[in-house]
Amino acid sequence: MKLHFKMKGSAMNVAVNSNDFNGLVNDSLKTTSRIIAEKFGKEHRNVMRDIRNVIDANPEWGVLNFAQTPYVDPQNGQTYQMYEMTRDGYSMLVMGFTGKKAMEWKIKFLEAFNAMEQRLKDGGGFQLPQSFGEALRLAADQAEQIEAMRPKVEALGRLEASEGSQLPSVVAKVLSMPQTRFFKELHAKNWTFKRGNVWVGYEDKVKRGYLENNTKTFIDGNGEERTSVQLKITPKGMARLAQIFPKGGAA
């Protein structure tokens, strides 16, 4: 099926295939800076720079719509960073991209977001098995998936049973993750950042009830009273982290 978009005040018509969302938008209704760079013909480092500029202009909005995440380059096996972004983040990022090719890809991406959203509303294209053999294979696949999810479920149960908010070190121990790595993962997923030598939760995670930035008072080595932030993870935040990290930390 072809869809045609006619720009008001312009004679340009752009044909968009309804299957173009494949490879452009994932089933979380997000795209990435790497895909943007590839399709719009830009250097990835420049796209990353533009995203950081958008985030710096409004950090609270930025962290809701852009999430830095690692990826492994298939060519050299090295781990690098990219940004995953929402439809709103995408729209803000490409707003300044110009040219005929850019316009075509802007429309294709928007159509991809709409197509994926509709597919999710329709149930993700689920079809009933057409034979007894196919039903057996489906049941076996589901059993395997349930078994693979078991560590996550167990971790979730342990964390939800915790009473009150906990220090990150406690949560890391329950998830069987080294504390240093746990903090790196929280930072990479835009949960926390460092203010001086202290880890602090992003405001959007605090507002969602995942984290607490508690103020504590202490006496320094010179006998002077000072205040600092003590980061804690709420039961709601622990439950969310148990969904993100199974026991052992492998996402």
Side-chain angles (χ1 to χ4, degrees):
M1 182 179 70
K2 297 284 185 178
L3 302 176
H4 290 81
F5 291 80
K6 187 173 183 180
M7 306 302 295
K8 186 176 180 181
S10 171
M12 183 181 72
N13 288 283
V14 180
V16 178
N17 191 301
S18 62
N19 290 325
D20 277 346
F21 65 91
N22 292 327
L24 298 183
V25 176
N26 63 29
D27 57 9
S28 297
L29 280 177
K30 293 179 181 179
T31 189
T32 72
S33 55
R34 292 185 69 209
I35 296 174
I36 296 294
E38 176 190 349
K39 301 305 182 184
F40 283 87
K42 295 181 177 292
E43 292 288 339
H44 186 231
R45 63 176 181 271
N46 293 335
V47 175
M48 293 279 283
R49 176 203 62 202
D50 293 342
I51 291 173
R52 286 191 289 268
N53 289 339
V54 172
I55 296 174
D56 289 343
N58 192 320
E60 186 171 341
W61 184 90
V63 297
L64 289 175
N65 291 282
F66 296 96
Q68 196 170 31
T69 184
Y71 72 93
V72 177
D73 190 318
Q75 294 183 346
N76 60 23
Q78 297 295 312
T79 300
Y80 300 98
Q81 294 293 315
M82 67 178 180
Y83 278 100
E84 192 176 53
M85 69 198 77
T86 64
R87 175 165 27 197
D88 287 346
Y90 157 81
S91 299
M92 184 66 70
L93 173 65
V94 305
M95 186 182 297
F97 293 0
T98 60
K100 181 179 179 181
K101 181 180 178 181
M103 178 58 72
E104 291 176 353
W105 279 109
K106 284 181 183 181
I107 295 173
K108 284 185 179 182
F109 269 91
L110 289 176
E111 177 60 21
F113 276 110
N114 292 335
M116 180 60 78
E117 183 177 43
Q118 187 60 51
R119 192 171 93 171
L120 294 174
K121 287 180 179 178
D122 292 340
F126 175 77
Q127 294 182 353
L128 292 174
Q130 300 300 307
S131 67
F132 182 67
E134 185 177 343
L136 288 178
R137 288 193 297 272
L138 178 61
D141 289 343
Q142 290 178 338
E144 185 177 342
Q145 291 172 10
I146 291 172
E147 187 61 29
M149 286 290 293
R150 189 180 302 278
K152 276 191 176 184
V153 175
E154 291 175 352
L156 175 61
R158 288 194 300 272
L159 292 178
E160 286 185 324
S162 300
E163 296 183 3
S165 301
Q166 300 287 339
L167 293 171
S169 57
V170 175
V171 180
K173 185 175 181 179
V174 171
L175 289 175
S176 300
M177 292 180 67
Q179 186 173 337
T180 302
R181 180 185 168 195
F182 184 57
F183 273 111
K184 286 183 178 179
E185 292 287 355
L186 290 179
H187 177 62
K189 295 183 182 301
N190 289 320
W191 278 55
T192 62
F193 65 96
K194 260 196 170 181
R195 183 183 293 162
N197 294 321
V198 179
W199 286 103
V200 180
Y202 275 112
E203 187 63 26
D204 70 299
K205 297 301 187 293
V206 174
K207 287 182 177 179
R208 292 183 185 183
Y210 293 158
L211 300 174
E212 294 176 354
N213 291 325
N214 296 326
T215 302
K216 66 174 184 177
T217 303
F218 64 97
I219 305 298
D220 66 12
N222 297 321
E224 296 182 6
E225 185 176 278
R226 296 186 179 276
T227 59
S228 180
V229 173
Q230 183 180 59
L231 176 67
K232 284 193 173 183
I233 302 174
T234 68
K236 181 179 179 181
M238 289 186 280
R240 178 67 184 124
L241 289 173
Q243 295 173 336
I244 297 173
F245 304 114
K247 184 178 179 182

